[in-house]
mmCIF file of all heavy atoms in Angstrom:
data_model
loop_
_atom_site.group_PDB
_atom_site.id
_atom_site.type_symbol
_atom_site.label_atom_id
_atom_site.label_comp_id
_atom_site.label_asym_id
_atom_site.label_seq_id
_atom_site.Cartn_x
_atom_site.Cartn_y
_atom_site.Cartn_z
ATOM 1 N N PRO A 1 0.796 -1.247 0.009
ATOM 2 C CA PRO A 1 0.000 0.017 0.015
ATOM 3 C C PRO A 1 0.828 1.266 0.008
ATOM 4 O O PRO A 1 0.595 2.202 -0.823
ATOM 5 C CB PRO A 1 -0.841 -0.134 1.287
ATOM 6 C CG PRO A 1 -0.996 -1.611 1.456
ATOM 7 C CD PRO A 1 0.339 -2.177 1.012
ATOM 8 N N ASN A 2 1.838 1.344 0.858
ATOM 9 C CA ASN A 2 2.706 2.522 0.914
ATOM 10 C C ASN A 2 3.561 2.624 -0.315
ATOM 11 O O ASN A 2 3.815 3.711 -0.867
ATOM 12 C CB ASN A 2 3.542 2.521 2.173
ATOM 13 C CG ASN A 2 4.248 3.826 2.408
ATOM 14 O OD1 ASN A 2 3.634 4.869 2.453
ATOM 15 N ND2 ASN A 2 5.550 3.765 2.535
ATOM 16 N N THR A 3 4.045 1.489 -0.804
ATOM 17 C CA THR A 3 4.895 1.502 -2.016
ATOM 18 C C THR A 3 4.105 1.981 -3.233
ATOM 19 O O THR A 3 4.625 2.751 -4.055
ATOM 20 C CB THR A 3 5.430 0.060 -2.261
ATOM 21 O OG1 THR A 3 6.179 -0.363 -1.120
ATOM 22 C CG2 THR A 3 6.349 0.024 -3.480
ATOM 23 N N PHE A 4 2.853 1.531 -3.365
ATOM 24 C CA PHE A 4 2.023 1.990 -4.465
ATOM 25 C C PHE A 4 1.789 3.481 -4.388
ATOM 26 O O PHE A 4 1.765 4.175 -5.410
ATOM 27 C CB PHE A 4 0.683 1.259 -4.480
ATOM 28 C CG PHE A 4 0.766 -0.235 -4.811
ATOM 29 C CD1 PHE A 4 -0.344 -1.061 -4.554
ATOM 30 C CD2 PHE A 4 1.891 -0.793 -5.360
ATOM 31 C CE1 PHE A 4 -0.271 -2.377 -4.831
ATOM 32 C CE2 PHE A 4 1.975 -2.131 -5.639
ATOM 33 C CZ PHE A 4 0.865 -2.943 -5.393
ATOM 34 N N ARG A 5 1.568 3.994 -3.194
ATOM 35 C CA ARG A 5 1.333 5.423 -3.048
ATOM 36 C C ARG A 5 2.586 6.216 -3.417
ATOM 37 O O ARG A 5 2.519 7.223 -4.096
ATOM 38 C CB ARG A 5 0.905 5.757 -1.607
ATOM 39 C CG ARG A 5 -0.441 5.179 -1.210
ATOM 40 C CD ARG A 5 -0.778 5.476 0.243
ATOM 41 N NE ARG A 5 -1.724 4.483 0.771
ATOM 42 C CZ ARG A 5 -1.507 3.709 1.799
ATOM 43 N NH1 ARG A 5 -0.371 3.825 2.501
ATOM 44 N NH2 ARG A 5 -2.422 2.867 2.209
ATOM 45 N N LYS A 6 3.738 5.756 -2.897
ATOM 46 C CA LYS A 6 5.001 6.462 -3.228
ATOM 47 C C LYS A 6 5.278 6.481 -4.716
ATOM 48 O O LYS A 6 5.865 7.434 -5.230
ATOM 49 C CB LYS A 6 6.152 5.767 -2.483
ATOM 50 C CG LYS A 6 6.219 5.982 -1.001
ATOM 51 C CD LYS A 6 7.560 5.545 -0.430
ATOM 52 C CE LYS A 6 7.869 4.119 -0.775
ATOM 53 N NZ LYS A 6 9.197 3.690 -0.243
ATOM 54 N N ALA A 7 4.872 5.419 -5.385
ATOM 55 C CA ALA A 7 5.143 5.305 -6.832
ATOM 56 C C ALA A 7 4.508 6.414 -7.637
ATOM 57 O O ALA A 7 4.941 6.716 -8.740
ATOM 58 C CB ALA A 7 4.682 3.915 -7.355
ATOM 59 N N ARG A 8 3.460 7.037 -7.088
ATOM 60 C CA ARG A 8 2.805 8.130 -7.825
ATOM 61 C C ARG A 8 3.752 9.326 -7.960
ATOM 62 O O ARG A 8 3.534 10.203 -8.807
ATOM 63 C CB ARG A 8 1.527 8.611 -7.085
ATOM 64 C CG ARG A 8 0.565 7.530 -6.632
ATOM 65 C CD ARG A 8 -0.005 6.689 -7.748
ATOM 66 N NE ARG A 8 -0.789 7.417 -8.716
ATOM 67 C CZ ARG A 8 -1.574 6.850 -9.614
ATOM 68 N NH1 ARG A 8 -1.707 5.539 -9.661
ATOM 69 N NH2 ARG A 8 -2.232 7.583 -10.495
ATOM 70 N N PHE A 9 4.813 9.357 -7.154
ATOM 71 C CA PHE A 9 5.789 10.480 -7.221
ATOM 72 C C PHE A 9 6.960 10.144 -8.132
ATOM 73 O O PHE A 9 7.858 10.992 -8.278
ATOM 74 C CB PHE A 9 6.305 10.800 -5.817
ATOM 75 C CG PHE A 9 5.244 11.318 -4.892
ATOM 76 C CD1 PHE A 9 4.771 10.569 -3.850
ATOM 77 C CD2 PHE A 9 4.700 12.603 -5.080
ATOM 78 C CE1 PHE A 9 3.774 11.038 -2.984
ATOM 79 C CE2 PHE A 9 3.731 13.084 -4.235
ATOM 80 C CZ PHE A 9 3.262 12.280 -3.181
ATOM 81 N N LEU A 10 6.969 8.959 -8.751
ATOM 82 C CA LEU A 10 8.042 8.662 -9.702
ATOM 83 C C LEU A 10 7.854 9.480 -10.956
ATOM 84 O O LEU A 10 6.756 9.698 -11.439
ATOM 85 C CB LEU A 10 8.046 7.145 -10.042
ATOM 86 C CG LEU A 10 8.428 6.210 -8.917
ATOM 87 C CD1 LEU A 10 8.151 4.758 -9.332
ATOM 88 C CD2 LEU A 10 9.869 6.389 -8.494
ATOM 89 N N SER A 11 8.985 9.913 -11.545
ATOM 90 C CA SER A 11 8.939 10.734 -12.724
ATOM 91 C C SER A 11 8.872 9.845 -13.980
ATOM 92 O O SER A 11 9.612 8.886 -14.113
ATOM 93 C CB SER A 11 10.219 11.604 -12.795
ATOM 94 O OG SER A 11 10.476 12.039 -14.089
ATOM 95 N N ALA A 12 7.984 10.240 -14.897
ATOM 96 C CA ALA A 12 7.893 9.528 -16.180
ATOM 97 C C ALA A 12 9.175 9.676 -16.967
ATOM 98 O O ALA A 12 9.617 8.736 -17.690
ATOM 99 C CB ALA A 12 6.711 10.052 -16.975
ATOM 100 N N VAL A 13 9.810 10.827 -16.867
ATOM 101 C CA VAL A 13 11.105 11.048 -17.572
ATOM 102 C C VAL A 13 12.150 10.101 -17.026
ATOM 103 O O VAL A 13 12.880 9.460 -17.760
ATOM 104 C CB VAL A 13 11.519 12.517 -17.432
ATOM 105 C CG1 VAL A 13 12.938 12.725 -18.046
ATOM 106 C CG2 VAL A 13 10.524 13.446 -18.105
ATOM 107 N N ASP A 14 12.228 10.006 -15.684
ATOM 108 C CA ASP A 14 13.185 9.096 -15.076
ATOM 109 C C ASP A 14 12.869 7.645 -15.462
ATOM 110 O O ASP A 14 13.780 6.827 -15.586
ATOM 111 C CB ASP A 14 13.145 9.226 -13.540
ATOM 112 C CG ASP A 14 13.865 10.463 -13.056
ATOM 113 O OD1 ASP A 14 14.780 10.949 -13.766
ATOM 114 O OD2 ASP A 14 13.525 10.969 -11.987
ATOM 115 N N HIS A 15 11.593 7.332 -15.640
ATOM 116 C CA HIS A 15 11.198 5.975 -16.012
ATOM 117 C C HIS A 15 11.770 5.638 -17.384
ATOM 118 O O HIS A 15 12.281 4.510 -17.600
ATOM 119 C CB HIS A 15 9.680 5.848 -16.009
ATOM 120 C CG HIS A 15 9.203 4.418 -16.049
ATOM 121 N ND1 HIS A 15 9.239 3.574 -14.975
ATOM 122 C CD2 HIS A 15 8.721 3.675 -17.095
ATOM 123 C CE1 HIS A 15 8.804 2.390 -15.309
ATOM 124 N NE2 HIS A 15 8.448 2.427 -16.597
ATOM 125 N N VAL A 16 11.653 6.570 -18.316
ATOM 126 C CA VAL A 16 12.238 6.331 -19.644
ATOM 127 C C VAL A 16 13.755 6.175 -19.540
ATOM 128 O O VAL A 16 14.352 5.292 -20.181
ATOM 129 C CB VAL A 16 11.892 7.491 -20.591
ATOM 130 C CG1 VAL A 16 12.657 7.356 -21.915
ATOM 131 C CG2 VAL A 16 10.371 7.537 -20.835
ATOM 132 N N GLN A 17 14.382 6.972 -18.704
ATOM 133 C CA GLN A 17 15.830 6.866 -18.530
ATOM 134 C C GLN A 17 16.208 5.564 -17.887
ATOM 135 O O GLN A 17 17.266 4.962 -18.209
ATOM 136 C CB GLN A 17 16.340 8.056 -17.685
ATOM 137 C CG GLN A 17 16.108 9.404 -18.324
ATOM 138 C CD GLN A 17 16.804 9.598 -19.681
ATOM 139 O OE1 GLN A 17 16.427 8.981 -20.671
ATOM 140 N NE2 GLN A 17 17.825 10.454 -19.691
ATOM 141 N N LEU A 18 15.378 5.077 -16.987
ATOM 142 C CA LEU A 18 15.625 3.762 -16.380
ATOM 143 C C LEU A 18 15.572 2.657 -17.440
ATOM 144 O O LEU A 18 16.347 1.691 -17.389
ATOM 145 C CB LEU A 18 14.613 3.458 -15.289
ATOM 146 C CG LEU A 18 14.869 4.122 -13.943
ATOM 147 C CD1 LEU A 18 13.657 3.914 -13.002
ATOM 148 C CD2 LEU A 18 16.112 3.519 -13.267
ATOM 149 N N ASP A 19 14.656 2.791 -18.377
ATOM 150 C CA ASP A 19 14.577 1.798 -19.444
ATOM 151 C C ASP A 19 15.824 1.807 -20.285
ATOM 152 O O ASP A 19 16.319 0.767 -20.764
ATOM 153 C CB ASP A 19 13.327 2.072 -20.306
ATOM 154 C CG ASP A 19 12.881 0.859 -21.097
ATOM 155 O OD1 ASP A 19 12.852 -0.239 -20.513
ATOM 156 O OD2 ASP A 19 12.613 1.003 -22.304
ATOM 157 N N ARG A 20 16.389 2.958 -20.493
ATOM 158 C CA ARG A 20 17.643 3.083 -21.257
ATOM 159 C C ARG A 20 18.811 2.489 -20.438
ATOM 160 O O ARG A 20 19.712 1.828 -20.994
ATOM 161 C CB ARG A 20 17.931 4.549 -21.600
ATOM 162 C CG ARG A 20 16.818 5.149 -22.512
ATOM 163 C CD ARG A 20 17.010 6.622 -22.695
ATOM 164 N NE ARG A 20 18.150 6.901 -23.571
ATOM 165 C CZ ARG A 20 18.661 8.096 -23.762
ATOM 166 N NH1 ARG A 20 18.198 9.141 -23.090
ATOM 167 N NH2 ARG A 20 19.680 8.258 -24.594
ATOM 168 N N LEU A 21 18.792 2.724 -19.138
ATOM 169 C CA LEU A 21 19.796 2.097 -18.247
ATOM 170 C C LEU A 21 19.654 0.564 -18.292
ATOM 171 O O LEU A 21 20.645 -0.151 -18.327
ATOM 172 C CB LEU A 21 19.635 2.595 -16.815
ATOM 173 C CG LEU A 21 20.484 1.892 -15.752
ATOM 174 C CD1 LEU A 21 21.981 2.096 -16.002
ATOM 175 C CD2 LEU A 21 20.104 2.351 -14.356
ATOM 176 N N ARG A 22 18.415 0.103 -18.342
ATOM 177 C CA ARG A 22 18.193 -1.336 -18.422
ATOM 178 C C ARG A 22 18.836 -1.898 -19.670
ATOM 179 O O ARG A 22 19.442 -3.005 -19.599
ATOM 180 C CB ARG A 22 16.664 -1.589 -18.434
ATOM 181 C CG ARG A 22 16.274 -3.043 -18.330
ATOM 182 C CD ARG A 22 14.753 -3.169 -18.254
ATOM 183 N NE ARG A 22 14.313 -4.515 -17.970
ATOM 184 C CZ ARG A 22 13.034 -4.855 -17.740
ATOM 185 N NH1 ARG A 22 12.092 -3.936 -17.817
ATOM 186 N NH2 ARG A 22 12.731 -6.101 -17.479
ATOM 187 N N LEU A 23 18.760 -1.231 -20.774
ATOM 188 C CA LEU A 23 19.402 -1.713 -22.007
ATOM 189 C C LEU A 23 20.932 -1.776 -21.791
ATOM 190 O O LEU A 23 21.573 -2.723 -22.244
ATOM 191 C CB LEU A 23 19.076 -0.785 -23.161
ATOM 192 C CG LEU A 23 19.699 -1.163 -24.513
ATOM 193 C CD1 LEU A 23 19.311 -2.558 -24.950
ATOM 194 C CD2 LEU A 23 19.339 -0.141 -25.579
ATOM 195 N N ARG A 24 21.488 -0.780 -21.113
ATOM 196 C CA ARG A 24 22.929 -0.822 -20.870
ATOM 197 C C ARG A 24 23.286 -2.010 -19.991
ATOM 198 O O ARG A 24 24.322 -2.676 -20.193
ATOM 199 C CB ARG A 24 23.401 0.470 -20.199
ATOM 200 C CG ARG A 24 24.896 0.548 -20.045
ATOM 201 C CD ARG A 24 25.389 1.853 -19.477
ATOM 202 N NE ARG A 24 25.185 2.981 -20.404
ATOM 203 C CZ ARG A 24 25.645 4.200 -20.180
ATOM 204 N NH1 ARG A 24 26.347 4.469 -19.068
ATOM 205 N NH2 ARG A 24 25.417 5.168 -21.052
ATOM 206 N N VAL A 25 22.450 -2.346 -18.992
ATOM 207 C CA VAL A 25 22.682 -3.526 -18.155
ATOM 208 C C VAL A 25 22.565 -4.804 -19.013
ATOM 209 O O VAL A 25 23.366 -5.731 -18.823
ATOM 210 C CB VAL A 25 21.717 -3.532 -16.957
ATOM 211 C CG1 VAL A 25 21.852 -4.818 -16.159
ATOM 212 C CG2 VAL A 25 21.946 -2.311 -16.067
ATOM 213 N N MET A 26 21.620 -4.840 -19.898
ATOM 214 C CA MET A 26 21.489 -6.010 -20.791
ATOM 215 C C MET A 26 22.776 -6.207 -21.583
ATOM 216 O O MET A 26 23.267 -7.342 -21.742
ATOM 217 C CB MET A 26 20.301 -5.809 -21.735
ATOM 218 C CG MET A 26 18.947 -5.846 -21.063
ATOM 219 S SD MET A 26 17.603 -5.214 -22.114
ATOM 220 C CE MET A 26 17.577 -6.429 -23.427
ATOM 221 N N LYS A 27 23.322 -5.125 -22.080
ATOM 222 C CA LYS A 27 24.577 -5.225 -22.839
ATOM 223 C C LYS A 27 25.741 -5.647 -21.955
ATOM 224 O O LYS A 27 26.606 -6.415 -22.366
ATOM 225 C CB LYS A 27 24.882 -3.883 -23.510
ATOM 226 C CG LYS A 27 23.906 -3.493 -24.612
ATOM 227 C CD LYS A 27 24.218 -2.116 -25.182
ATOM 228 C CE LYS A 27 23.261 -1.757 -26.307
ATOM 229 N NZ LYS A 27 23.514 -0.409 -26.854
ATOM 230 N N ALA A 28 25.729 -5.180 -20.687
ATOM 231 C CA ALA A 28 26.801 -5.584 -19.771
ATOM 232 C C ALA A 28 26.760 -7.081 -19.494
ATOM 233 O O ALA A 28 27.816 -7.748 -19.535
ATOM 234 C CB ALA A 28 26.658 -4.787 -18.469
ATOM 235 N N LEU A 29 25.577 -7.632 -19.230
ATOM 236 C CA LEU A 29 25.507 -9.073 -18.968
ATOM 237 C C LEU A 29 25.748 -9.893 -20.233
ATOM 238 O O LEU A 29 26.321 -10.989 -20.183
ATOM 239 C CB LEU A 29 24.148 -9.422 -18.344
ATOM 240 C CG LEU A 29 24.197 -9.547 -16.824
ATOM 241 C CD1 LEU A 29 24.499 -8.207 -16.174
ATOM 242 C CD2 LEU A 29 22.912 -10.120 -16.267
ATOM 243 N N ASP A 30 25.348 -9.351 -21.386
ATOM 244 C CA ASP A 30 25.654 -10.036 -22.635
ATOM 245 C C ASP A 30 27.167 -10.123 -22.828
ATOM 246 O O ASP A 30 27.681 -11.161 -23.235
ATOM 247 C CB ASP A 30 25.005 -9.273 -23.803
ATOM 248 C CG ASP A 30 25.268 -9.956 -25.146
ATOM 249 O OD1 ASP A 30 24.717 -11.062 -25.341
ATOM 250 O OD2 ASP A 30 26.003 -9.372 -25.952
ATOM 251 N N GLY A 31 27.861 -9.047 -22.516
ATOM 252 C CA GLY A 31 29.310 -9.071 -22.609
ATOM 253 C C GLY A 31 29.937 -10.065 -21.649
ATOM 254 O O GLY A 31 30.893 -10.781 -22.005
ATOM 255 N N LEU A 32 29.395 -10.130 -20.417
ATOM 256 C CA LEU A 32 29.909 -11.080 -19.464
ATOM 257 C C LEU A 32 29.760 -12.518 -19.956
ATOM 258 O O LEU A 32 30.679 -13.323 -19.877
ATOM 259 C CB LEU A 32 29.202 -10.877 -18.108
ATOM 260 C CG LEU A 32 29.656 -11.755 -16.934
ATOM 261 C CD1 LEU A 32 29.605 -10.966 -15.629
ATOM 262 C CD2 LEU A 32 28.780 -13.011 -16.797
ATOM 263 N N PHE A 33 28.566 -12.832 -20.510
ATOM 264 C CA PHE A 33 28.321 -14.215 -20.936
ATOM 265 C C PHE A 33 28.923 -14.506 -22.306
ATOM 266 O O PHE A 33 28.780 -15.631 -22.797
ATOM 267 C CB PHE A 33 26.813 -14.514 -20.899
ATOM 268 C CG PHE A 33 26.309 -14.776 -19.484
ATOM 269 C CD1 PHE A 33 25.468 -13.849 -18.877
ATOM 270 C CD2 PHE A 33 26.698 -15.895 -18.803
ATOM 271 C CE1 PHE A 33 25.003 -14.064 -17.577
ATOM 272 C CE2 PHE A 33 26.221 -16.159 -17.543
ATOM 273 C CZ PHE A 33 25.387 -15.222 -16.903
ATOM 274 N N GLN A 34 29.574 -13.529 -22.917
ATOM 275 C CA GLN A 34 30.390 -13.845 -24.081
ATOM 276 C C GLN A 34 31.689 -14.547 -23.631
ATOM 277 O O GLN A 34 32.300 -15.300 -24.377
ATOM 278 C CB GLN A 34 30.742 -12.576 -24.833
ATOM 279 C CG GLN A 34 29.567 -11.862 -25.504
ATOM 280 C CD GLN A 34 28.937 -12.653 -26.626
ATOM 281 O OE1 GLN A 34 29.597 -13.410 -27.298
ATOM 282 N NE2 GLN A 34 27.647 -12.498 -26.795
ATOM 283 N N GLU A 35 32.104 -14.287 -22.383
ATOM 284 C CA GLU A 35 33.370 -14.809 -21.859
ATOM 285 C C GLU A 35 33.209 -16.066 -21.035
ATOM 286 O O GLU A 35 34.149 -16.826 -20.914
ATOM 287 C CB GLU A 35 34.044 -13.726 -21.012
ATOM 288 C CG GLU A 35 34.382 -12.446 -21.767
ATOM 289 C CD GLU A 35 35.089 -11.445 -20.896
ATOM 290 O OE1 GLU A 35 36.000 -11.828 -20.141
ATOM 291 O OE2 GLU A 35 34.691 -10.255 -20.918
ATOM 292 N N ILE A 36 32.032 -16.271 -20.460
ATOM 293 C CA ILE A 36 31.791 -17.462 -19.626
ATOM 294 C C ILE A 36 30.456 -18.103 -20.011
ATOM 295 O O ILE A 36 29.633 -17.479 -20.662
ATOM 296 C CB ILE A 36 31.812 -17.124 -18.107
ATOM 297 C CG1 ILE A 36 30.733 -16.085 -17.786
ATOM 298 C CG2 ILE A 36 33.210 -16.663 -17.673
ATOM 299 C CD1 ILE A 36 30.566 -15.809 -16.315
ATOM 300 N N ASP A 37 30.272 -19.332 -19.534
ATOM 301 C CA ASP A 37 29.013 -20.038 -19.748
ATOM 302 C C ASP A 37 28.080 -19.920 -18.549
ATOM 303 O O ASP A 37 26.861 -19.878 -18.696
ATOM 304 C CB ASP A 37 29.265 -21.513 -20.053
ATOM 305 C CG ASP A 37 30.177 -21.706 -21.239
ATOM 306 O OD1 ASP A 37 29.852 -21.186 -22.314
ATOM 307 O OD2 ASP A 37 31.232 -22.384 -21.074
ATOM 308 N N VAL A 38 28.698 -19.927 -17.364
ATOM 309 C CA VAL A 38 27.922 -19.909 -16.107
ATOM 310 C C VAL A 38 28.588 -18.956 -15.131
ATOM 311 O O VAL A 38 29.814 -18.934 -15.008
ATOM 312 C CB VAL A 38 27.837 -21.323 -15.467
ATOM 313 C CG1 VAL A 38 27.090 -21.300 -14.146
ATOM 314 C CG2 VAL A 38 27.216 -22.331 -16.431
ATOM 315 N N LEU A 39 27.781 -18.170 -14.431
ATOM 316 C CA LEU A 39 28.256 -17.341 -13.321
ATOM 317 C C LEU A 39 27.719 -17.931 -12.035
ATOM 318 O O LEU A 39 26.541 -18.305 -11.968
ATOM 319 C CB LEU A 39 27.771 -15.903 -13.481
ATOM 320 C CG LEU A 39 28.288 -14.907 -12.444
ATOM 321 C CD1 LEU A 39 29.732 -14.510 -12.769
ATOM 322 C CD2 LEU A 39 27.410 -13.666 -12.355
ATOM 323 N N VAL A 40 28.548 -18.029 -11.010
ATOM 324 C CA VAL A 40 28.122 -18.581 -9.744
ATOM 325 C C VAL A 40 28.309 -17.553 -8.630
ATOM 326 O O VAL A 40 29.165 -16.696 -8.722
ATOM 327 C CB VAL A 40 28.854 -19.883 -9.383
ATOM 328 C CG1 VAL A 40 28.624 -20.947 -10.434
ATOM 329 C CG2 VAL A 40 30.367 -19.624 -9.225
ATOM 330 N N GLY A 41 27.469 -17.673 -7.576
ATOM 331 C CA GLY A 41 27.641 -16.764 -6.453
ATOM 332 C C GLY A 41 26.479 -16.797 -5.503
ATOM 333 O O GLY A 41 25.449 -17.453 -5.738
ATOM 334 N N PRO A 42 26.557 -16.026 -4.410
ATOM 335 C CA PRO A 42 25.451 -15.887 -3.493
ATOM 336 C C PRO A 42 24.288 -15.166 -4.159
ATOM 337 O O PRO A 42 24.487 -14.351 -5.059
ATOM 338 C CB PRO A 42 26.036 -15.061 -2.339
ATOM 339 C CG PRO A 42 27.508 -15.127 -2.519
ATOM 340 C CD PRO A 42 27.778 -15.285 -3.986
ATOM 341 N N LEU A 43 23.072 -15.454 -3.673
ATOM 342 C CA LEU A 43 21.898 -14.807 -4.243
ATOM 343 C C LEU A 43 21.803 -13.335 -3.875
ATOM 344 O O LEU A 43 21.482 -12.495 -4.707
ATOM 345 C CB LEU A 43 20.653 -15.531 -3.770
ATOM 346 C CG LEU A 43 19.310 -14.914 -4.144
ATOM 347 C CD1 LEU A 43 19.110 -14.940 -5.655
ATOM 348 C CD2 LEU A 43 18.173 -15.620 -3.432
ATOM 349 N N MET A 44 22.067 -13.011 -2.626
ATOM 350 C CA MET A 44 21.685 -11.712 -2.109
ATOM 351 C C MET A 44 22.819 -10.681 -2.084
ATOM 352 O O MET A 44 22.576 -9.538 -1.728
ATOM 353 C CB MET A 44 21.135 -11.870 -0.667
ATOM 354 C CG MET A 44 19.858 -12.685 -0.640
ATOM 355 S SD MET A 44 18.499 -11.945 -1.557
ATOM 356 C CE MET A 44 17.219 -13.146 -1.351
ATOM 357 N N THR A 45 24.026 -11.061 -2.366
ATOM 358 C CA THR A 45 25.153 -10.106 -2.371
ATOM 359 C C THR A 45 25.608 -9.923 -3.815
ATOM 360 O O THR A 45 25.476 -10.812 -4.632
ATOM 361 C CB THR A 45 26.306 -10.585 -1.485
ATOM 362 O OG1 THR A 45 26.733 -11.888 -1.934
ATOM 363 C CG2 THR A 45 25.892 -10.681 -0.035
ATOM 364 N N GLY A 46 26.167 -8.739 -4.082
ATOM 365 C CA GLY A 46 26.549 -8.445 -5.446
ATOM 366 C C GLY A 46 25.358 -7.978 -6.272
ATOM 367 O O GLY A 46 24.224 -7.909 -5.775
ATOM 368 N N PRO A 47 25.578 -7.688 -7.533
ATOM 369 C CA PRO A 47 24.540 -7.051 -8.343
ATOM 370 C C PRO A 47 23.591 -7.984 -9.089
ATOM 371 O O PRO A 47 22.632 -7.557 -9.725
ATOM 372 C CB PRO A 47 25.358 -6.261 -9.388
ATOM 373 C CG PRO A 47 26.589 -7.111 -9.573
ATOM 374 C CD PRO A 47 26.894 -7.699 -8.228
ATOM 375 N N MET A 48 23.813 -9.313 -9.019
ATOM 376 C CA MET A 48 23.141 -10.203 -9.951
ATOM 377 C C MET A 48 21.629 -10.412 -9.662
ATOM 378 O O MET A 48 20.881 -10.674 -10.600
ATOM 379 C CB MET A 48 23.837 -11.565 -9.998
ATOM 380 C CG MET A 48 25.150 -11.519 -10.814
ATOM 381 S SD MET A 48 24.846 -11.008 -12.543
ATOM 382 C CE MET A 48 23.980 -12.435 -13.193
#
């Protein structure tokens, strides 16, 4: 309930920019998996 209310204050412009950031992250992981087949690690630490 509180999260949905707070979301009304998110900027549409920032949302578009986040989508562009998402594409950059897609390219970053694509680059990583060009070098390896599997990445291993803890679930909750790091960026994955």
Side-chain angles (χ1 to χ4, degrees):
N2 191 54
T3 302
F4 292 166
R5 294 177 204 122
K6 288 193 304 179
R8 312 299 299 193
F9 296 109
L10 293 171
S11 159
V13 175
D14 284 334
H15 194 76
V16 172
Q17 299 298 69
L18 280 171
D19 200 46
R20 298 173 73 191
L21 172 64
R22 187 177 189 174
L23 179 59
R24 186 176 292 187
V25 174
M26 292 166 65
K27 292 177 179 178
L29 263 65
D30 181 68
L32 182 144
F33 283 110
Q34 295 293 329
E35 299 181 45
I36 58 174
D37 303 304
V38 178
L39 185 77
V40 298
L43 173 66
M44 297 297 179
T45 56
M48 284 301 290

